[in-house]
Amino acid sequence: VGPTAVSDKVEKPPLVDLADLNLSHYRTMADLEHGRHFVALPTPWLAGVPAAEKSDTSIALGAETVLILNQGGQCGMLEFSGAGLRALEKADDDKRSMMAALGARLLESPGKSSRETATSVEMRHAGEHATLRTIAQSCEQALTQVLRTHAWWAGEGGDLPNDFDSDEVKFELNKDFFSAKMDAPTLTAWVQALQAEAISYDTFWAAMTDGGLARPVSAEEELAQIHKQAAAAPGAQMPNAPAPLGAPGQKPGAPGPKVQDAGPGVKPGDVVAKDEGPYKLLNRAGRWLVVKADTGQPVKGGDHGADKKKALAHLAALAIATKGEGKGV
């Protein structure tokens, strides 16, 4: 596995410059710590020591010791006061900044109090994220090849390990390295668009997922969970999971009709969107169904999938035909 492809070709690692600079920074810090240790403690000095004591190897220091000096003799402590270590300290700061520029900030999370917009953060980190995505794609390709070889060895697929459809056996990594989440005004705008039925629930859920506000499930699974909770507590208002979810004439968030009042054949979690006497329009896990009121079974051609407008038109035509106001439905 290489940084840009699945190949045995030796390539320059994308972060080798950062690693080399990190080693250089380590040496700078070692020199700085050595210098600080070497000059940290003051060194005593004496001038004018009696000749009789010059041959002594040591001189006692302390409050209970008397130093006898010749006339004019002096003593003191040598302390480091030069600028020699400042160059090492500046080099430390410079190398830290260089490491940040080379990619150390890839792991940096934007502060909560930052006023920088999500778009500007994404643009600022676009180059680094491109490098990470390239590495992730290379890993994906390699692990996909491993899985296909394993499946082929187990007797799946065709004559060769790569005889699989593109989506049949594959491995994917999360390549969204942008940590900024959807802000409150944007979330409000998405919710309003959903309530106004200007977007589908699938589109809304995709936006929540991209914004880092949703758990890792599909829109269908989330809808099923919402309907399951609504059925478990009939008539209860779900604070974050409206039962109707776009039912005609009813805004999301309003409590839906109770299942026991919907009529025979209606399954738990079904939402009666419109009632036209002998026929009803149901929303069942995101699918629009025109059903018979007495049995709850879909009429011929009554499963309209996600096409709400077509389902409403079908129900209206049946209502007209039932009242004798139309023909050839």
Side-chain angles (χ1 to χ4, degrees), residues 270-293:
D270 287 352
V271 177
V272 178
K274 196 168 185 179
D275 191 342
E276 289 289 354
Y279 303 99
K280 296 180 180 180
L281 178 62
L282 298 183
N283 187 305
R284 178 175 296 167
R287 302 186 67 85
W288 296 97
L289 306 175
V290 178
V291 302
K292 296 180 180 179

Side-chain angles (χ1 to χ4, degrees), residues 205 209 213-218 221-222:
W205 189 249
T209 302
L213 302 180
R215 60 196 182 104
V217 297
S218 65
E221 291 172 323
E222 184 68 14

Side-chain angles (χ1 to χ4, degrees), residues 136 139-145 147 169-173 175:
C139 292
E140 282 182 349
Q141 294 174 5
L143 292 172
T144 296
Q145 183 62 40
L147 290 177
V169 179
K170 65 178 181 179
F171 184 91
E172 290 185 353
L173 288 171
K175 293 183 285 297

Side-chain angles (χ1 to χ4, degrees), residues 11-316:
E11 298 182 67
K12 178 183 177 181
L15 300 181
V16 69
D17 293 333
L18 176 59
D20 291 341
L21 186 56
N22 197 8
L23 291 174
S24 176
H25 178 255
Y26 166 77
R27 290 190 290 268
T28 298
M29 289 300 299
D31 292 339
L32 180 59
E33 291 303 313
H34 175 71
R36 286 172 174 171
H37 175 74
F38 191 77
V39 301
L41 298 177
T43 302
W45 60 272
L46 298 173
V49 178
E53 300 181 8
K54 284 186 178 180
S55 61
D56 291 350
T57 58
S58 63
I59 297 177
L61 297 175
E64 299 180 355
T65 303
V66 177
L67 293 178
I68 302 175
L69 305 177
N70 292 333
Q71 185 176 3
Q74 295 178 343
C75 65
M77 301 292 288
L78 287 174
E79 294 187 76
F80 176 75
S81 61
L85 296 182
R86 294 179 185 174
L88 292 175
E89 292 174 348
K90 186 177 184 304
D92 170 43
D93 294 337
D94 291 344
K95 290 179 181 180
R96 288 178 185 271
S97 300
M98 292 172 65
M99 284 190 292
L102 285 175
R105 67 170 178 263
L106 290 176
L107 304 180
E108 175 190 1
S109 297
K112 294 182 179 180
S113 60
S114 175
R115 296 180 179 271
E116 191 173 12
T117 65
T119 303
S120 63
V121 174
E122 187 172 16
M123 292 176 62
R124 181 161 54 86
H125 291 291
E128 293 86 350
H129 292 168
T131 301
L132 286 177
R133 288 191 184 95
T134 301
I135 297 174
Q137 289 171 355
S138 179
C139 292
E140 282 182 349
Q141 294 174 5
L143 292 172
T144 296
Q145 183 62 40
V146 169
L147 290 177
R148 289 181 176 180
T149 302
H150 181 79
W152 170 74
W153 185 261
E156 303 293 335
D159 297 332
L160 297 174
N162 282 327
D163 290 346
F164 290 97
D165 295 336
S166 58
D167 294 332
E168 188 175 2
V169 179
K170 65 178 181 179
F171 184 91
E172 290 185 353
L173 288 171
N174 180 12
K175 293 183 285 297
D176 184 10
F177 304 109
F178 185 44
S179 59
K181 292 186 177 181
M182 182 184 297
D183 54 21
T186 304
L187 174 60
T188 301
W190 277 105
V191 172
Q192 291 175 349
L194 178 65
Q195 292 175 341
E197 300 184 4
I199 59 174
S200 67
Y201 185 78
D202 288 351
T203 300
F204 173 78
W205 189 249
M208 295 300 100
T209 302
D210 294 340
L213 302 180
R215 60 196 182 104
V217 297
S218 65
E220 291 77 11
E221 291 172 323
E222 184 68 14
L223 279 172
Q225 183 64 26
I226 291 172
H227 293 156
K228 180 179 178 181
Q229 291 179 354
Q237 177 117 8
M238 304 301 295
N240 60 345
L245 288 174
Q250 185 176 8
K251 293 185 178 180
K258 296 182 180 180
V259 174
Q260 58 264 34
D261 299 333
V266 178
K267 299 181 180 180
D270 287 352
V271 177
V272 178
K274 196 168 185 179
D275 191 342
E276 289 289 354
Y279 303 99
K280 296 180 180 180
L281 178 62
L282 298 183
N283 187 305
R284 178 175 296 167
R287 302 186 67 85
W288 296 97
L289 306 175
V290 178
V291 302
K292 296 180 180 179
D294 55 349
T295 64
Q297 297 298 319
V299 301
K300 183 177 180 180
D303 187 347
H304 296 280
D307 195 338
K308 180 180 63 175
K309 292 183 179 180
K310 190 174 181 180
L312 284 169
H314 189 174
L315 182 66

